[in-house]
Amino acid sequence: MVDTEKHEQNFPSKLTVYVVVCWILAAFGGLMFGYDIGISGGVTAMDDFLIHFFPTVHERKLHAEENNYCKYDDRYLQLFTSSLYLAALVSSFGASEVCTKFGRKTTILVASVLFLSGAAMSAGAQNIWMLIIGRILLGLGVGFGNEAVPLFLSEIAPVERRGAVNILFQFFVTIGIFFANLVNYGTSKMHPYGWRVSLGLAGVPALFLFIGSIVITETPTSLIERGNETAGHITLRKIRGVDNVNAEFEQIKAASEIASQVKHPYKKLMKRSSMPPLIIAILLQVFQQLTGINAIMFYAPVLFQTVGFKNDASLLSAVITGIVNVISTLVSIFAVDKVGRRILLLQACVQMFISQAAIGAILLAFLSTTGSLTKLQAAIVVGLVCLFVMSFAWSWGPLGWLIPSETFPLETRTAGFAFAVSSNMFFTFLIAQAFLSMLCNMRAFIFFFFAGWILKMGLFVYFLLPETKNVPIDLMAERVWKQHPVWKKFMD
């Protein structure tokens, strides 16, 4: 594989309080996304919510001889969770246009307004359609936020810290999931409106993102790309904390001049030389979902109820996995710019494969359709889920967003990243929509299904994914794609 160590080229920079504040405020887009992922699983396990919107599911849940694998299998219940991802899929392409024409900062502002509207609509929902419209508004916000925030972080970070800064997005996603699990644990005892509080509290991170979108700077790349060279130079000096930014400024300017000649970025994206970053970006996002992570995160409370925990205990178990998720993402922040992207991904494939296969084996051997696991067996399943979440959180979680945001040339960056975001949302939608039915029909074999995909992902990384550590973002084509034994055949 290509060794990029010898290519290292760092532009001068100092860490300033202002740039750190910009990183953190923008990363609240991740907190919002994480909260949305984490909240829906807990809310759909609450009896008050089910009685109000899904009485048939509640009836099924009450039956003494209920089928462990099928009690939550309901088309509308799945639509509640997955409508968000379908809306995000569609909006990511509109977000790409807004990102290019109006900048990253404006796109983040639009995301925050959509999040605030969606939180208000969901919390105040009187019927199932109000509930789903609220989810769609949140989904539109996710599409805009997930398009703009990773690009903003990659463009504003100095090259030697780019990995760690970009992973702040995923770190905040994990905090959002954890915060949602804690909220659900608290509101599950607030009858009959606990679910309204859970859904309405999505407004808190949305408000922070709204304030953040006003405070943060625009990225120098976006300013220069839109013809504001003077503002771009001033911003670059401000975020780098040094006056000598001419070399980096000239590099961004050169990339912008090439980009300005491309009038149709989507057309350019379909050309042979654009295929390497596009294929890698889409596959990373697809594989990120095929690890089974969102199945486990969305439905952690439901999953733990399936193996025999009661409602409170299952929400508490979901809180435990949430803590593991947050702490393990920190490993990635510290390791990604030191050990590189490939090693983290390959190590995780081994750990995730073992965890998913072992969960499947235990459920297959010991969980019948109507019984439950012993306390020890259930504790082992929770332990294995934690091992799985841990390895995902320092690898496929953050790097699925980092690598696509750093590998496209400027002329196709927002368009290429829109494909990455929409691929993620499409597969998240598919898995959210299908998981409860798959759990019902495949039972324990669903975990072997995910384990099989993890094996394919390891081979993909080993043979096809180049290392991008320490390579300046506008020099990827020369230093990464044109040096790679497979991808160099695609380059002009």
Side-chain angles (χ1 to χ4, degrees):
M1 291 300 118
V2 185
D3 177 24
T4 53
E5 288 296 317
K6 61 181 180 288
H7 293 315
E8 187 172 345
Q9 171 190 333
N10 293 352
F11 299 114
S13 68
K14 281 204 312 250
L15 206 55
T16 64
V17 172
Y18 178 69
V19 78
V20 172
V21 169
C22 283
W23 295 344
I24 290 167
L25 288 173
F28 266 92
L31 189 71
M32 192 65 243
F33 182 39
Y35 190 85
D36 285 331
I37 291 173
I39 211 71
S40 48
V43 165
T44 52
M46 290 181 195
D47 287 344
D48 295 322
F49 176 79
L50 292 174
I51 290 163
H52 196 100
F53 295 108
F54 304 100
T56 52
V57 179
H58 185 250
E59 278 301 306
R60 216 178 307 152
K61 192 179 161 186
L62 290 178
H63 288 163
E65 288 297 301
E66 61 189 352
N67 182 326
N68 275 320
Y69 292 101
C70 297
K71 58 186 167 188
Y72 289 98
D73 182 18
D74 180 271
R75 200 168 64 241
Y76 289 108
L77 187 58
Q78 290 174 345
L79 185 63
F80 162 71
T81 298
S82 56
S83 55
L84 183 145
Y85 302 97
L86 211 51
L89 188 166
V90 175
S91 72
S92 58
F93 291 100
S96 152
E97 289 294 309
V98 174
C99 235
T100 303
K101 290 195 171 72
F102 303 101
R104 297 15 169 182
K105 180 180 159 109
T106 306
T107 314
I108 293 171
L109 176 68
V110 173
S112 67
V113 172
L114 287 164
F115 280 140
L116 283 165
S117 320
M121 178 71 93
S122 304
Q126 295 304 315
N127 57 49
I128 192 164
W129 293 111
M130 278 180 80
L131 192 68
I132 286 170
I133 289 166
R135 292 291 286 174
I136 288 170
L137 284 168
L138 288 169
L140 296 174
V142 166
F144 274 74
N146 286 21
E147 170 75 18
V149 172
L151 287 178
F152 175 89
L153 293 171
S154 279
E155 288 179 351
I156 210 168
V159 62
E160 70 279 8
R161 286 200 177 94
R162 189 176 64 234
V165 171
N166 188 280
I167 288 169
L168 279 174
F169 174 73
Q170 181 67 18
F171 180 57
F172 273 66
V173 170
T174 64
I175 292 174
I177 293 171
F178 174 58
F179 179 49
N181 287 334
L182 274 185
V183 166
N184 280 337
Y185 186 62
T187 57
S188 62
K189 299 175 184 62
M190 292 165 60
H191 302 292
Y193 293 124
W195 61 271
R196 288 195 191 277
V197 178
S198 284
L199 295 175
L201 281 174
V204 176
L207 190 60
F208 274 103
L209 187 64
F210 178 74
I211 295 163
S213 66
I214 295 162
V215 174
I216 60 175
T217 181
E218 183 53 271
T219 72
T221 304
S222 179
L223 288 165
I224 295 164
E225 185 186 18
R226 289 179 292 133
N228 303 335
E229 287 186 15
T230 311
H233 197 276
I234 293 165
T235 305
L236 194 57
R237 288 211 320 260
K238 191 175 177 183
I239 63 171
R240 292 292 176 257
V242 295
D243 287 331
N244 177 21
V245 294
N246 289 342
E248 187 173 3
F249 177 76
E250 288 304 325
Q251 189 190 293
I252 296 171
K253 210 168 116 180
S256 298
E257 279 162 11
I258 295 168
S260 67
Q261 291 159 21
V262 175
K263 298 293 175 235
H264 303 288
Y266 287 104
K267 209 164 164 185
K268 165 86 175 164
L269 206 51
M270 295 303 126
K271 293 220 159 89
R272 188 177 165 82
S273 61
S274 299
M275 283 299 124
L278 184 64
I279 291 168
I280 292 286
I282 290 174
L283 284 180
L284 276 170
Q285 296 283 11
V286 170
F287 284 151
Q288 188 194 63
Q289 292 313 309
L290 289 171
T291 57
I293 185 66
N294 274 356
I296 289 203
M297 279 303 181
F298 282 149
Y299 299 115
V302 174
L303 188 68
F304 290 136
Q305 279 187 356
T306 296
V307 297
F309 286 94
K310 289 289 168 266
N311 210 347
D312 270 6
S314 67
L315 280 172
L316 192 58
S317 307
V319 169
I320 294 165
T321 53
I323 294 172
V324 170
N325 198 6
V326 172
I327 293 169
S328 304
T329 305
L330 284 172
V331 174
S332 189
I333 288 176
F334 291 110
V336 69
D337 291 315
K338 293 184 178 68
V339 304
R341 284 65 162 151
R342 281 169 51 82
I343 287 182
L344 287 174
L345 291 168
L346 288 168
Q347 183 281 331
C349 282
V350 175
Q351 193 168 324
M352 290 192 301
F353 178 79
I354 292 167
S355 311
Q356 288 277 35
I359 293 170
I362 289 171
L363 298 190
L364 187 63
F366 303 110
L367 184 68
S368 62
T369 48
T370 53
S372 65
L373 298 181
T374 65
K375 278 206 165 62
L376 175 66
Q377 289 161 349
I380 291 169
V381 169
V382 173
L384 286 165
V385 167
C386 287
L387 270 177
F388 171 80
V389 168
M390 188 186 296
S391 52
F392 177 87
W394 63 54
S395 61
W396 289 86
L399 300 182
W401 295 105
L402 166 62
I403 295 168
S405 75
E406 66 182 3
T407 47
F408 285 101
L410 183 57
E411 63 266 28
T412 55
R413 191 170 299 155
T414 60
F417 199 66
F419 270 98
V421 174
S422 57
S423 307
N424 182 291
M425 294 306 146
F426 179 65
F427 274 81
T428 307
F429 165 75
L430 270 189
I431 292 198
Q433 194 62 12
F435 178 69
L436 293 177
S437 302
M438 285 167 75
L439 185 65
C440 179
N441 292 308
M442 293 171 74
R443 308 192 174 179
F445 287 103
I446 191 164
F447 295 97
F448 299 120
F449 168 80
F450 289 128
W453 279 106
I454 291 166
L455 193 61
K456 294 183 181 77
M457 287 152 52
L459 294 170
F460 157 76
V461 173
Y462 188 79
F463 291 108
L464 294 176
L465 188 75
E467 183 55 75
T468 51
K469 171 174 75 123
N470 286 332
V471 182
I473 198 164
D474 290 312
L475 298 177
M476 285 289 166
E478 293 304 317
R479 297 187 176 180
V480 172
W481 305 117
K482 288 184 181 177
Q483 311 298 326
H484 190 276
V486 174
W487 300 119
K488 67 181 179 187
K489 296 170 189 153
F490 286 78
M491 304 309 288
D492 295 334

